Structures are given as structure tokens and as C-alpha cells.
Amino acid sequence: MTNSGDGDDVPQIAIPQQPRAIEKTPMFTAMNAARYQRQTLIRDIEVNHPKLLCYVAGNKAPIERIDTLGFVDMLHNISPGDPIDLMLHTPGGDVDAAEKLITLVRSATGEQGQLRIIVPDYAKSAGTLMALGANSIVMSESSELGPIDPQVSLKDGNGHDVNHSVLTYLNAYEEAKQAFREAPDDPANCITFERFDPTMVRKFNSVRNRARTFAENLLKRRGANFSKIASELMNISTYPSHGQMIGWEAARNMGLTVEYLPLQDPTWRKYWALYCHLRLAIESDQRIFETNFVSLIL
């Protein structure tokens, strides 16, 4: 265009238009509305607390090696030495995988860093082992830990996988061995004792000792009475059931560092609301890994 006001053609400088802001489409926003809501809750909780990582598993989703993917993602933007809160809900699972996961988180906080584990509902067996690696465990009336009773999956006569309690198996073996020693001529004692496979007994002993060593090493770093606590958590006489509840008072009396929040506490209500949203996001065989910037379901 030209300006002919004084008879001279004066070129006008074109002003570039600002690019239009890119927005998420309405359908994408609608499809991910639940995730946005959860991450808004996480950001709200983090206003007065450390970065919050969430690992919530369905009741048929044990701790496994594949969980490393989710934990590495959640830790991606955590600066070394930052304090971390980890919301943990799990039925338990593989002891070696649990060690790797808690080691990853502890490496991010550093040896002197602070790690709190928040247990809204339950963290059983290998999940309890992970909780032992925290500086403190946040619990309420709805929270429960469990005895450290490793499970081993074996094939039954029909080729199906069946989980066996390591402690229950070894306890039964010791009882059968003692009965055989006392009355070796008793046919019933002979039959019962011979049912135990020596190879399996050695394997189960190895798994039990592995779990105990792992528990004691985690507790040593916290300055706790590691031998006493590990023995109590693996005492099949006190906790005969794999799923038996260890509430916040029992955990504290055992010597664990427990931060108790009543159900009516405003912060606990936020934790519980977030946990409910996370549970609804997964099926029973899935687990979700979520922070205010990560969301992954496996």
C-alpha cells in the first residue's frame, strides 16, 4: 500500500500478525479431564509440602521390575537433594523390584535428604519393605502396613501359578522336621516330612534371608533398632496372616517413625481425595504413576 498525501509514494511497513495460541482441543481436554483434576490436586498439596510422587496399584498388580519405568519418569524433573513425598499403595510383590524402586527414590533425595511415604490405604509385604526406607511414614486410621512375608509363585499339579507364603512354608517344614526327630518311626511323621522338597526349602530360606537383610539395611540407615523391628515384622506367630493389618499405633510401638494424621485433618483429606481419584483411574491389574507433570498407567 502507498500513502499519496504529499505526492510521494511511501511504503508502509507490514506488521506481522501474532501467531494464534495453540490450545488443546475440546475433545482432548474432555478425555483427559480426570488426569487434569488429579494433577490439580497434587499441585494444591505441594503448596506447603515437598514434591509428591504417586504410585498406586490395583489389588492384582504386584510390584514388578517394569515399575522402574514409572519411577524413572516420576523422578525425571526432581533435583538432586530435593525432599520427596511418595504416596504408596500396593499389595506387595517382588522383593528385588521393591529394593530397586526405593533405591531409586533414595538416590534422588540423597543420603541426607528427606523421604516421607504416605500410606492412604495399605502397603503390604514388599510395600512395607519400601516404607522402611523412608525417614517417616504418614498414616491415619485407614492406613495399614503388613508383615514382611515374601510370596513365591509355583506351579500346581494343573500348571497354574499359585502363590506360597515363604514364612508359612518354612514354619510348617520346621514343625514337620521336629515331629520326625521326636518320633521317626511314626508313619504319619515320615510321610509329612518327606513331602518337603529340600531344593524348595533351600530356595525359600534364601528368599526369607534376602528379605530380612534388605529390611535391616534400610532400617540401619534410619538409625532404628533394625534387628528388633525386622524380627517383629517377620514373626509368623504374631502375624499368622499375610494380609494382617499393622496400623499406625502398632507401627509406632514397633519402633517405626510414624506421622499420624487423623481422618479429619485437612491435609489427610486431600491425600485421601487424591488416592480415591487414582484408584478410580486404574483396573485391578494396573498401576498408575503420577506427579504434577507425569501420568503413566501400566
Side-chain angles (χ1 to χ4, degrees):
M1 296 180 60
T2 60
N3 182 355
S4 57
D6 57 2
D8 296 327
D9 290 336
V10 180
Q12 297 294 302
I13 299 174
I15 300 176
Q17 292 185 345
Q18 292 296 321
R20 180 183 174 185
I22 298 176
E23 298 179 353
K24 299 181 179 69
T25 68
M27 180 58 75
F28 182 89
T29 301
M31 291 174 64
N32 291 277
R35 173 166 64 86
Y36 296 148
Q37 186 177 8
R38 295 192 303 269
Q39 291 181 321
T40 297
L41 279 170
I42 292 173
R43 284 190 286 271
D44 182 41
I45 291 171
E46 289 177 336
V47 170
N48 297 310
H49 296 90
K51 292 292 184 182
L52 177 61
L53 316 183
C54 303
Y55 172 61
V56 171
N59 58 359
K60 295 181 180 178
I63 296 170
E64 296 178 333
R65 290 282 186 172
I66 194 174
D67 294 337
T68 302
L69 295 172
F71 271 78
V72 171
D73 247 31
M74 291 195 297
L75 293 167
H76 184 71
N77 289 322
I78 299 293
S79 300
D82 280 353
I84 292 175
D85 281 353
L86 171 63
M87 179 177 286
L88 179 65
H89 175 79
T90 173
D94 183 75
V95 172
D96 293 333
E99 180 179 25
K100 184 171 184 178
L101 299 181
I102 197 62
T103 299
L104 279 170
V105 180
R106 287 254 46 128
S107 295
T109 62
E111 193 59 36
Q112 302 304 317
Q114 293 295 305
L115 169 63
R116 296 195 313 167
I117 285 186
I118 301 157
V119 183
D121 194 346
Y122 58 78
K124 296 293 192 177
S125 197
T128 298
L129 278 170
M130 290 181 65
L132 299 184
N135 296 86
S136 62
I137 307 169
V138 183
M139 303 177 72
S140 187
E141 280 81 6
S142 62
S143 310
E144 57 179 288
L145 303 177
I148 299 173
D149 183 10
Q151 304 288 292
V152 174
S153 180
L154 299 174
K155 299 288 185 183
D156 63 12
N158 297 317
H160 300 133
D161 288 327
V162 178
N163 285 331
H164 294 267
S165 161
V166 167
L167 299 184
T168 298
Y169 184 94
L170 291 176
N171 188 60
Y173 168 73
E174 291 298 329
E175 290 179 354
K177 183 170 69 172
Q178 182 63 29
F180 179 72
R181 282 177 176 172
E182 293 175 355
D185 297 328
D186 187 326
N189 289 344
C190 293
I191 293 172
T192 301
F193 183 64
E194 288 173 356
R195 285 177 179 171
F196 289 91
D197 181 354
T199 301
M200 200 61 61
V201 171
R202 285 193 294 271
K203 177 179 180 180
F204 278 30
N205 265 313
S206 176
V207 173
R208 179 189 60 186
N209 295 339
R210 170 77 182 83
R212 184 184 181 94
T213 299
F214 177 29
E216 290 183 345
N217 286 339
L218 289 172
L219 291 164
K220 283 178 186 177
R221 294 169 183 167
R222 307 277 70 80
N225 189 339
F226 62 90
S227 181
K228 171 181 175 292
I229 296 173
S231 294
E232 287 193 36
L233 286 171
M234 299 184 75
N235 188 334
I236 197 170
S237 298
T238 306
Y239 302 108
S241 169
H242 177 73
Q244 195 162 342
M245 173 180 175
I246 300 177
W248 71 270
E249 289 180 291
R252 180 179 284 177
N253 291 336
M254 194 179 291
L256 297 176
T257 303
V258 174
E259 294 182 35
Y260 166 72
L261 295 178
L263 292 175
Q264 298 77 20
D265 182 88
T267 299
W268 184 261
R269 285 180 177 270
K270 290 180 181 180
Y271 290 146
W272 186 259
L274 175 60
Y275 164 69
C276 290
H277 283 279
L278 290 164
R279 281 299 300 271
L280 286 175
I282 55 174
E283 302 293 336
S284 62
D285 60 347
Q286 295 178 315
R287 69 274 284 163
I288 185 169
F289 309 81
E290 197 153 88
T291 70
N292 66 15
F293 52 85
V294 169
S295 185
L296 177 65
I297 294 178
L298 294 178

